[in-house]
Amino acid sequence: MKPLNPARWLAVVALTAGLTVTTSARADSKHPSDTSLRGVDLDRATVLDLQHAMNRGRFDAVELTRFYLDRIRTVDRKLNSVIQTNPEALKEAERSDRRRRHGAGGPLEGIPVLLKDNIDTLGPLRTTAGSEALLGARPSREAFLVERLRAAGAVILGKANLSEWANFRSSPSSSGWSAVGGQTNNPYVLDRNPCGSSSGSAVAAAATLAAVTIGTETDGSIVCPSGLNGVVGIKPTIGLVSRAGVVPISAQQDTAGPITRNVTDAAAVLAAIQGADPRDPATVPGGDRDYLKALDAKALKGKRIGVWRAAAGDDRDVLATLDAAVATLRAKGATVVDGVTMEGMDEAGEAEFTALLTEFKHDLNAYLAATPGRHPRDLAELIAFNEKHAATELRHFGQELFEQAQATTGDLDDPEYRALREKATSLARQAIDTVVADNRLDAVLAPTNGPAWRTDLVKGDDFSGFVSSSAPPAVSGYPAITVPGGFARNVLPLGVTFFGPRFSEPTLIALGFAFEQATKARKPPQYLRTLP
């Protein structure tokens, strides 16, 4: 959920059937590029492939889970993307194997999942949001989306690192850094930043440390790390996935969503985690949506897609990737409306940031007050905790955003706040709804990100020339999907985003899948130490 400071704000089965087989059957290799388990390349295999392999007895959930745990122990030394593995993961996998032997199981049966560490879990898995302040927190119930994953048969593998407090603590900051987890590194070039705040989730997905991962977003923190790490991310419509049990920034914009290596997996995971939840009044009925039905390699044919070219700025690699994407759309039968604009988004961004400060104080105070255990009970106590533990919590960056939020009323009935939120949301929705209606579009295409910058724990993130298209769908509460689109300097991943109106996930998934199948743009990470 990586919002920016005010200055930055402006700134299936048929198509995926058949296992991906390699000549190696080793499951114990320590080399990062060896992702094969009994002849199945787990970097390329979908969750449907993994289910097929387990149904045929090629391997079972225990062996698959052990593969990922071993890989985390070895490969993640370079990446620092996992805060904690689940001590109960192998037992969960054993139970999954028993269900499979008895002919039972869910759509994600035996599939190991890493959760961003702001998603509540029970038992030995802590939920810290990357902060030492929550090491003593003991949630009384798991997040609704975790309950949904378990009902689907998934194995909870562990927790992924993140930008502490979803990067809503300080400005500047380094995306992917937390006091509990340290700094997460980009697997393509290790001294480059992974973007945030779902940095650990995206890095773990890219490095095949789990079958699939879950991230969260307020404004850009699913799509940006997915783009910079060469994977797929879906930021759902607000109300599709429950936020109950997720450490908040803002109930107006927060959502969880899948981060995966391919669109098939993202569709399968989204189908599993969505659904109405009494604990989150924003959620809507209709929890039986099957997004795998949207996977159509010919979905681009006959569609009208607008291109938000201005979002690319003047970055040559981003523009070249966008041009190549437009060429793919046309080659696959889509009508392209180039040069559409997102009117009013500068004003929306200014109002958004101020509104988020009030929402953060209100929503975080409510979360802390409702969470059992030994920890600060509100934002004021959290600020005091950080001051007391400054040697670890504040050793790189401050807590300016905490202090700005604390200075607000935290009152969601405050007329000034309500006017700002109404302005931000309405302008963002008008920007998308108007361009879609006026041009009769099925979706809008935009660049997801620019090249990853060098990580700097002194100066923080380098947003000079920053490329982002996350604000319109984030502020409006509408959906977006990012898919790999190309590379900068032939090494650093660049993504492209499809976004559209409320609850247009089936269309966006179809377009993303067709684009993915046409381009095959993703390449596995190289784990380079640096670039010249």
Side-chain angles (χ1 to χ4, degrees):
M1 300 178 189
K2 177 183 174 20
L4 310 176
N5 67 24
R8 295 170 182 167
W9 229 269
L10 300 173
V12 212
V13 178
L15 292 168
T16 57
L19 301 174
T20 303
V21 179
T22 69
T23 57
S24 171
R26 296 167 59 196
D28 59 350
S29 172
K30 295 183 179 181
H31 195 281
S33 64
D34 189 347
T35 55
S36 61
L37 173 62
R38 299 199 178 278
V40 179
D41 184 353
L42 300 187
D43 179 81
R44 298 172 60 192
T46 70
V47 295
L48 303 181
D49 294 332
L50 299 181
Q51 293 278 22
H52 185 62
M54 288 187 281
N55 286 337
R56 294 181 61 187
R58 195 159 197 164
F59 49 76
D60 58 19
V62 168
E63 191 170 8
L64 181 62
T65 300
R66 184 177 289 115
F67 176 94
Y68 289 123
L69 291 172
D70 289 344
R71 189 165 170 82
I72 289 169
R73 279 191 288 269
T74 55
V75 176
D76 200 47
R77 295 172 185 173
K78 299 175 180 287
L79 305 175
N80 213 32
S81 68
V82 179
I83 279 185
Q84 184 186 7
T85 55
N86 182 9
E88 303 294 324
L90 289 174
K91 291 183 180 179
E92 292 183 19
E94 289 175 359
R95 291 194 289 270
S96 174
D97 286 332
R98 286 197 294 270
R99 290 193 295 269
R100 190 181 301 276
R101 286 195 295 270
H102 288 88
L108 296 180
E109 193 63 57
I111 300 298
V113 180
L114 275 173
L115 307 169
K116 185 176 178 180
D117 193 31
N118 61 348
I119 299 172
D120 283 351
T121 46
L122 299 178
L125 273 180
R126 300 184 302 262
T127 303
T128 71
S131 172
E132 295 170 327
L134 291 187
L135 288 173
R138 297 292 182 267
S140 58
R141 181 174 172 180
E142 291 190 313
F144 183 77
L145 72 90
V146 179
E147 295 174 350
R148 296 282 292 179
L149 286 168
R150 292 193 187 281
V155 173
I156 305 304
L157 193 63
K159 293 295 191 70
N161 198 14
L162 70 162
S163 306
E164 186 171 319
W165 295 106
N167 221 1
F168 204 79
R169 194 193 81 175
S170 66
S171 179
S173 65
S174 176
S175 293
W177 180 85
S178 71
V180 173
Q183 177 65 52
T184 300
N185 302 317
N186 191 305
Y188 286 83
V189 182
L190 297 173
D191 67 355
R192 298 284 170 146
N193 196 268
C195 199
S197 65
S198 302
S199 46
S201 300
V203 168
T208 319
L209 302 185
V212 297
T213 72
I214 304 293
T216 64
E217 172 166 328
T218 303
D219 192 334
S221 271
I222 287 175
V223 294
C224 183
S226 296
L228 261 72
N229 293 282
V231 292
V232 174
I234 296 179
K235 198 289 288 188
T237 301
I238 298 298
L240 189 67
V241 178
S242 171
R243 285 80 54 84
V246 179
V247 181
I249 289 178
S250 163
Q252 299 298 314
Q253 293 182 205
D254 292 350
T255 185
I259 299 178
T260 64
R261 286 176 298 280
N262 57 73
V263 177
T264 300
D265 290 356
V269 173
L270 184 60
I273 64 175
Q274 50 88 38
D277 175 14
R279 290 193 290 164
D280 184 351
T283 54
V284 295
D288 57 350
R289 303 175 186 89
D290 183 359
Y291 294 110
L292 289 173
K293 292 180 178 178
L295 302 183
D296 178 3
K298 298 179 179 180
L300 288 166
K301 187 175 182 180
K303 296 297 190 297
R304 288 179 61 86
I305 300 174
V307 177
W308 185 22
R309 184 170 292 275
D314 58 2
D315 188 289
R316 288 184 293 180
D317 287 319
V318 175
L319 287 167
T321 297
L322 187 60
D323 287 341
V326 169
T328 297
L329 300 184
R330 287 176 169 147
K332 292 300 176 179
T335 297
V336 174
V337 182
D338 211 339
V340 302
T341 59
M342 291 287 115
E343 298 293 338
M345 282 311 303
D346 286 349
E347 289 184 71
E350 292 173 347
E352 174 200 16
F353 177 75
T354 306
L356 285 175
L357 292 172
T358 298
E359 291 158 358
F360 179 68
K361 180 178 181 178
H362 176 277
D363 294 352
L364 184 64
N365 282 352
Y367 173 86
L368 293 173
T371 300
R374 298 180 59 186
H375 59 80
R377 307 313 301 181
D378 59 20
L379 181 56
E381 289 189 12
L382 180 55
I383 291 170
F385 177 95
N386 288 341
E387 291 171 347
K388 183 178 180 180
H389 298 84
T392 51
E393 281 292 340
L394 304 180
R395 68 176 180 264
H396 296 302
F397 307 103
Q399 51 181 339
E400 297 87 354
L401 297 183
F402 275 11
E403 291 162 351
Q404 290 179 56
Q406 179 60 20
T408 72
T409 63
D411 181 3
L412 301 188
D413 291 322
D414 183 290
E416 184 177 354
Y417 155 73
R418 291 175 67 87
L420 287 168
R421 170 46 64 190
E422 172 62 24
K423 180 179 181 180
T425 303
S426 62
L427 284 174
R429 289 180 176 176
Q430 288 171 21
I432 296 176
D433 293 341
T434 299
V435 77
V436 167
D438 288 353
N439 296 281
R440 296 177 288 112
L441 301 179
D442 294 284
V444 176
L445 174 75
T448 305
N449 60 285
W453 55 92
R454 285 189 178 89
T455 296
D456 189 334
L457 288 173
V458 176
K459 297 180 180 178
D461 291 334
D462 180 5
F463 283 100
S464 58
F466 184 64
V467 173
S468 174
S469 57
S470 67
V475 184
S476 65
Y478 290 176
I481 181 171
T482 180
V483 294
F487 292 87
R489 300 177 66 178
N490 297 315
V491 175
L492 299 170
L494 300 173
V496 295
T497 293
F498 294 91
F499 63 87
R502 191 169 185 250
F503 293 120
S504 60
E505 280 86 354
T507 296
L508 301 182
I509 289 169
L511 297 176
F513 181 75
F515 181 86
E516 172 192 69
Q517 298 301 304
T519 61
K520 304 291 185 182
R522 181 181 179 269
K523 300 175 184 176
Q526 299 185 38
Y527 306 93
L528 300 178
R529 183 178 61 85
T530 190
L531 287 177

